[in-house]
Amino acid sequence: MHISDHSIRRPVTVMMGILMVVILGILSLTRIPIDLYPPIEIPTVAVTTSYSGVGPKELENLVTKPIEQAVATVAGIKSVTSISREGSSQVIVEFGYGTDIDGTVAEIQQKVERARRSLPDDADSPTVMRFDPNSSPVLTLALSSEMSADQLRSFVDEQIVPYLERVDGVASVTVSGGLEREITVRVDPGKLEQYGITLADISQQLRNQNIDSPGGTITEGGTTYTVRSVGKLASIDDIKKVSIPLRGEGQVFLEDVALITDGYKAVTIESKMDGQPTVTLSIIKQSGTNTVAVVDQINQELEKLQGSLSANLKVFSISDQSAFIRASINTLVHDTLIGGILAIFIIWFFLKSISNTLIIGTAIPISVIATFALMFFTDMSINTMSLGGLTLGIGMIVDDAIVVLENIHRHREKGLSIKEAAVSGTKEVAMPVIAATLTTVAVFFPIVFVEGVTAQLFKDMGVTVSFALLASLVVSLTVTPMLAAKWTASQAKKLNHEEADAKSGLVRFYKRVLAWSLGHRKSVIAIGLASLVAGAGLVPFIGMEVMPTSDQGQVNISISLPNGTELEKTREVLTKANEIVSQVPEAKTIFSTLGSANATRGGNANSSAASFLLILSDSSERSRTTAEVVDDLRNKLNRFPGARVRISETGGMMLPGMGGQGFSGGSSPISYALRGNDEATLKDLAERLTAAISEVDGIRETDNTLEESRPEIQIKLDRIKAAGLGITQSSLTSTIQTALRDQVATRMEAGGSEIDITLKLDKEGQDSMQDIENLLITTPKGEVVQVKDVATVAIAGGPQAIQRYNQARVVNVTGMLAPGRDLGSVAEEVNRVPCAARLRHRAARAKPAAG
């Protein structure tokens, strides 16, 4: 007995089955996570090593190269990239898709542990971890209040951050802006020399005399007492009375050699929104968690906090990835609904029957809802790709039902009863319908077996289309004949096809076209071939992009001044740039950051960097697109001598692994990577290529990763003199770091929070090279000598960072696209640049030799 026969004989069973599927699908829909794209995993491992006080060149030789050589022996490696900055080395190892990343991490840890023996003893142990390219802030908030800057920062640190860090799915919360309380111990270098003590001595005594420790227990009179030594510093007076032993006999108090003040840390990153000081929170979600769910929980927690706290706190969302996700998903849902409605309307237009339209139309909601259930049980998410697959399949879902219903009516016209027509009509076309559906599924489903980022991205689309089509196949063979048997008139009605055709102008027109085509076969073939050739000829004129651009109404501006520029000079440039930016009529909110090249992510403080984030009004309220605003600002902000100004529009969310991140150009669509070990040749080629690409029409903001030398004072140890005194490179480095860096010696508890006690050499002790030469070092025998007795001090220059790719130095040349230009056509023009063509030819010849 055919399945359609069962369905017609047992309609209640069919309806109960459909009802069960619908309920299961609706319940699944409420539990399916929502995200912009499917989860994209790049098989990458990062090895990070800290070596405080060491420059990029030394780090490259002492740390980066040994680690690169160790991890390069691991099987399945696709590439090894690294970056060496002052005090930090990071080696990133990328593997091919399908690699067992967990097993690979364990193997890399073993390799790094072996390489640890060849690293400097005073370098920190390397940290091995899976690298997550999706670890960008999902939510960036600006908080302002009537409180003072220090009170606001303290309030955010103590009352808000701890609650947000406990939200399920939150990985970290980074705070920037405001003022942080700090107790400063400013030491007089003259007093140090007079008493024969060093900063290291003071730091050690501050730590030693700021301790509470248990001493044991005693029992007296039947009661057991806990003995505890109480020595924590509790006030400024306690700090002043810290005693420092002298080399001979006696001691001095800290207040005798230093000025102790209670104030605030120096401002390194300053954030403002529309000119008002703010504190910024950047929230990063845990890998694999749902963006929309995490942001919703954060917003709920903030609402609770605002309701329970008495402070008049204003919270403004600077960047919210969930808003873009919701907008994209809502647009797709709207388009899917419109597509379904239009499909039903077209069916009605041709069938001229409401009952037949409803019978066929039921295939759409049932198939879509059934697909949601299958998505839930296969751990898929609702994203632009999965919903795009459903939208694509809406038109194909009704095909099977149309074929079945049409054949049922054909059998009715032969005089069969409605039930007989439903059974025989469905049975007759069952195999062709199954074959047609499986043919379509065979087009989409094989993408599941493809590897790489493309497969991860488009897998959801192929699977949802296949699920929906298979569901529609089941509906057409069960629900459609059952409904046709119940909703169609019981009396057969024979139609006069000739009369019907005569009344149909569309049919008459089609008959004429068909007759002409059959009589002019060569002409039809010629027209078909001409159309094919014409279509193929238009392909070069069609633009190509990895993903379509979208107008998100946000503009990022990054300003980088020459290395070493003081913060106040950077502030002057930021103020002038703000005057220009404020004139943008479309700008609704302007968020500025002094001391960071990224307005929303913060990052390491840099006195020579500043940034803006412009949030524009809704696209319906402005006459210019975001790309046009960006192009206009490029012309207006290109007026600051020595400054690098980079302007770009925020394009929703970056797709990792698809031309957007890493050392190969950052987020620039155009990027060339130049490799080699000759620093001078790399620099020359990079500058020539940058100049050549800048001449290409359609390219804006050509740049490269070459960074000017940062002025530095180099102190070189005289190993012979130092050996005689027992002084090592480590002790010299420690002395210099203690003297020149703000060193947190210990912390004091006050009001439920901990306040840094920072040790500093008086500013007058940092004014010249001579003061550095006069710094004191204590030998192992207790003698005190000056730096100039064991080392030479000279001015030199050094790189800020050194990037490497596959164990060779690399320089990236990048460019942004002009408004209205697509990546494909611009890339072709760039590849035709003589300089770029020669470089590609050189790379092609060198590749076989390189192995």
Side-chain angles (χ1 to χ4, degrees):
M1 188 177 290
H2 199 266
I3 185 174
S4 59
D5 197 5
H6 282 288
S7 303
I8 295 169
R9 292 176 183 274
R10 297 176 177 83
V12 175
T13 303
V14 174
M15 293 306 298
M16 289 300 100
I18 294 299
L19 185 62
M20 182 182 68
V21 170
V22 169
I23 293 174
L24 186 61
I26 293 174
L27 290 176
S28 299
L29 179 60
T30 61
R31 290 167 172 78
I32 299 176
I34 302 174
D35 221 323
L36 184 63
Y37 298 119
I40 299 175
E41 181 180 346
I42 309 296
T44 307
V45 178
V47 183
T48 305
T49 310
S50 296
Y51 192 5
S52 183
V54 180
K57 283 188 176 180
E58 291 75 17
L59 262 173
E60 179 188 27
N61 294 320
L62 297 175
V63 177
T64 303
K65 285 184 178 179
I67 292 178
E68 284 181 346
Q69 292 168 0
V71 301
T73 59
V74 178
I77 287 181
K78 185 177 178 181
S79 66
V80 178
T81 56
S82 67
I83 182 167
S84 303
R85 298 184 184 275
E86 182 179 356
S88 175
S89 164
Q90 187 177 54
V91 178
I92 298 178
V93 188
E94 184 178 352
F95 294 87
Y97 291 95
T99 303
D100 177 13
I101 197 68
D102 294 326
T104 302
V105 169
E107 186 178 355
I108 287 181
Q109 286 175 332
Q110 294 176 357
K111 300 285 186 182
V112 171
E113 190 60 34
R114 293 174 188 170
R116 177 75 179 88
R117 303 167 189 167
S118 62
L119 302 183
D121 295 336
D122 49 347
D124 294 344
S125 297
T127 302
V128 180
M129 54 185 255
R130 293 182 62 171
F131 185 75
D132 184 11
N134 298 291
S135 59
S136 59
V138 295
L139 184 64
T140 304
L141 303 172
L143 291 82
S144 61
S145 174
E146 297 175 355
M147 293 183 287
S148 60
D150 60 309
Q151 290 176 328
L152 178 59
R153 176 61 185 256
S154 177
F155 179 81
V156 170
D157 284 334
E158 298 171 10
Q159 301 293 330
I160 294 180
V161 172
Y163 288 95
L164 296 183
E165 288 178 334
R166 289 198 291 267
V167 172
D168 186 30
V170 171
S172 66
V173 181
T174 304
V175 185
S176 62
L179 296 175
E180 292 183 81
R181 189 180 170 191
E182 177 187 59
I183 295 175
T184 305
V185 179
R186 196 172 296 278
V187 182
D188 186 341
K191 296 289 183 67
L192 291 182
E193 189 172 358
Q194 177 185 341
Y195 290 108
I197 58 178
T198 65
L199 286 173
D201 297 331
I202 297 176
S203 179
Q204 182 178 359
Q205 291 303 316
L206 281 170
R207 287 193 296 270
N208 292 343
Q209 299 185 41
N210 186 32
I211 299 174
D212 287 349
S213 58
T217 60
I218 62 170
T219 303
E220 183 178 356
T223 303
T224 300
Y225 297 92
T226 300
V227 180
R228 189 163 62 96
S229 171
V230 181
K232 283 278 189 179
L233 301 173
S235 65
I236 295 291
D237 290 335
D238 289 346
I239 299 173
K240 289 180 179 180
K241 297 305 179 184
V242 170
S243 60
I244 314 295
L246 301 179
R247 302 294 174 190
E249 296 181 356
Q251 61 183 18
V252 294
F253 292 112
L254 185 57
E255 63 180 349
D256 297 328
V257 296
L259 176 65
I260 297 97
T261 58
D262 188 351
Y264 302 102
K265 291 184 179 181
V267 176
T268 55
I269 297 180
E270 181 181 290
S271 303
K272 291 185 177 182
M273 185 175 67
D274 294 332
Q276 298 298 317
T278 61
V279 171
T280 306
L281 295 179
S282 296
I283 304 170
I284 297 176
K285 73 180 182 73
Q286 294 174 355
S287 179
T289 54
N290 179 246
T291 301
V292 174
V294 171
V295 173
D296 285 344
Q297 292 182 63
I298 292 171
N299 290 329
Q300 290 172 10
E301 194 66 33
L302 286 172
E303 289 178 4
K304 293 179 184 177
L305 288 172
Q306 285 181 293
S308 61
L309 299 173
S310 58
N312 182 20
L313 190 67
K314 296 179 181 178
V315 181
F316 181 81
S317 176
I318 300 173
S319 174
D320 184 355
Q321 286 189 3
S322 70
F324 178 62
I325 293 172
R326 284 191 177 92
S328 301
I329 297 299
N330 290 339
T331 300
L332 269 174
V333 170
H334 176 267
D335 293 345
T336 303
L337 291 174
I338 294 298
I341 293 171
L342 288 176
I344 292 174
F345 175 78
I346 291 173
I347 292 169
W348 173 84
F349 178 79
F350 283 97
L351 297 182
K352 297 293 191 298
S353 170
I354 295 179
S355 61
N356 290 337
T357 302
L358 292 176
I359 291 172
I360 296 173
T362 54
I364 296 177
I366 294 174
S367 301
V368 170
I369 294 173
T371 303
F372 288 141
L374 293 169
M375 289 172 62
F376 174 76
F377 288 110
T378 53
D379 294 326
M380 291 173 59
S381 65
I382 294 177
N383 52 67
T384 53
M385 293 300 164
S386 58
L387 276 184
L390 284 177
T391 305
L392 182 64
I394 285 292
M396 295 184 286
I397 285 174
V398 296
D399 291 350
D400 295 344
I402 291 174
V403 173
V404 170
L405 188 62
E406 171 63 22
N407 203 49
I408 290 172
H409 280 287
R410 190 173 67 84
H411 280 263
R412 286 286 320 278
E413 293 169 5
K414 292 180 178 179
L416 296 179
S417 67
I418 183 59
K419 287 189 177 181
E420 292 174 342
V423 172
S424 59
T426 305
K427 190 182 299 184
E428 185 178 34
V429 296
M431 288 308 297
V433 166
I434 293 172
T437 303
L438 293 180
T439 301
T440 309
V441 169
V443 174
F444 291 98
F445 196 73
I447 198 170
V448 173
F449 305 103
V450 180
E451 295 182 353
V453 176
T454 305
Q456 295 182 54
L457 187 63
F458 290 99
K459 174 183 174 181
D460 284 14
M461 175 182 287
V463 171
T464 49
V465 171
S466 301
F467 282 169
L469 290 177
L470 292 174
S472 71
L473 174 62
V474 175
V475 170
S476 67
L477 296 178
T478 56
V479 179
T480 300
M482 185 270 291
L483 292 179
K486 294 296 180 182
W487 288 2
T488 306
S490 60
Q491 297 297 323
K493 297 180 180 179
K494 295 185 179 181
L495 297 178
N496 189 330
H497 290 287
E498 294 182 0
E499 293 181 4
D501 292 346
K503 295 178 180 178
S504 173
L506 182 61
V507 172
R508 292 198 305 271
F509 174 75
Y510 172 69
K511 282 187 173 183
R512 289 198 300 270
V513 172
L514 181 59
W516 184 88
S517 301
L518 293 175
H520 303 78
R521 292 181 176 85
K522 294 182 179 179
S523 300
V524 172
I525 294 174
I527 293 173
L529 290 175
S531 300
L532 178 63
V533 172
L538 292 175
V539 171
F541 300 97
I542 301 175
M544 290 185 291
E545 296 279 1
V546 176
M547 292 295 288
T549 57
S550 55
D551 190 337
Q552 296 305 305
Q554 292 190 2
V555 178
N556 289 313
I557 303 173
S558 172
I559 303 174
S560 299
L561 296 175
N563 294 323
T565 303
E566 294 180 356
L567 193 66
E568 289 304 315
K569 292 184 178 179
T570 306
R571 188 193 304 275
E572 293 177 5
V573 174
L574 180 67
T575 302
K576 293 178 181 178
N578 188 61
E579 294 175 359
I580 298 173
V581 171
S582 300
Q583 302 301 316
V584 176
E586 294 87 355
K588 184 172 63 175
T589 302
I590 300 175
F591 186 80
S592 62
T593 301
L594 175 67
S596 174
N598 192 309
T600 57
R601 296 193 64 173
N604 296 328
N606 185 352
S607 64
S608 59
S611 55
F612 290 94
L613 172 66
L614 275 64
I615 299 178
L616 308 182
S617 56
D618 190 80
S619 57
S620 61
E621 301 174 1
R622 48 188 164 92
S623 57
R624 295 191 297 178
T625 64
T626 304
E628 291 171 340
V629 173
V630 167
D631 208 42
D632 182 45
L633 283 173
R634 283 192 181 117
N635 298 326
K636 292 181 178 179
L637 290 175
N638 191 20
R639 61 175 64 181
F640 301 110
R644 282 183 173 181
V645 181
R646 301 176 180 88
I647 309 173
S648 61
E649 60 175 312
T650 302
M653 295 173 61
M654 197 69 68
L655 269 177
M658 296 194 72
Q661 295 178 344
F663 295 118
S664 59
S667 59
S668 302
I670 299 294
S671 176
Y672 274 86
L674 307 178
R675 294 177 56 226
N677 291 314
D678 190 324
E679 190 173 346
T681 303
L682 270 180
K683 182 178 180 181
D684 177 60
L685 289 174
E687 290 176 347
R688 285 162 51 196
L689 183 59
T690 303
I693 291 178
S694 64
E695 301 297 326
V696 175
D697 184 31
I699 291 287
R700 300 288 187 272
E701 287 186 12
T702 51
D703 202 354
N704 57 59
T705 55
L706 288 172
E707 295 181 347
E708 59 182 12
S709 297
R710 183 167 189 164
E712 62 183 23
I713 295 176
Q714 295 182 350
I715 304 169
K716 187 174 183 180
L717 184 69
D718 187 326
R719 300 190 183 278
I720 297 177
K721 293 181 180 179
L725 295 171
I727 294 174
T728 64
Q729 181 68 44
S730 176
S731 59
L732 174 64
T733 301
S734 177
T735 298
I736 295 168
Q737 289 177 353
T738 304
L740 301 182
R741 289 185 175 182
D742 294 349
Q743 177 187 358
V744 179
T746 185
R747 290 179 173 85
M748 183 182 77
E749 294 183 3
S753 61
E754 290 188 336
I755 304 170
D756 290 346
I757 300 176
T758 305
L759 193 62
K760 300 181 180 182
L761 196 66
D762 192 62
K763 187 176 179 181
E764 295 179 358
Q766 303 179 32
D767 283 341
S768 66
M769 288 175 54
Q770 184 177 357
D771 294 316
I772 296 175
E773 292 175 334
N774 293 335
L775 291 175
L776 303 178
I777 305 176
T778 304
T779 68
K781 297 179 181 180
E783 300 175 356
V784 177
V785 298
Q786 294 180 321
V787 168
K788 63 184 177 183
D789 297 329
V790 294
T792 57
V793 183
I795 295 178
Q800 278 199 30
I802 297 175
Q803 296 182 10
R804 292 165 59 84
Y805 180 81
N806 286 345
Q807 303 187 53
R809 289 196 178 186
V810 64
V811 176
N812 297 307
V813 179
T814 62
M816 304 296 291
L817 297 179
R821 296 299 304 272
D822 67 280
L823 179 60
S825 60
V826 173
E828 287 184 4
E829 293 181 29
V830 172
N831 290 334
R832 288 196 293 267
V833 171
C835 184
R838 286 195 299 271
L839 285 173
R840 291 202 318 279
H841 180 61
R842 180 185 299 183
R845 288 186 304 170
K847 189 174 181 180

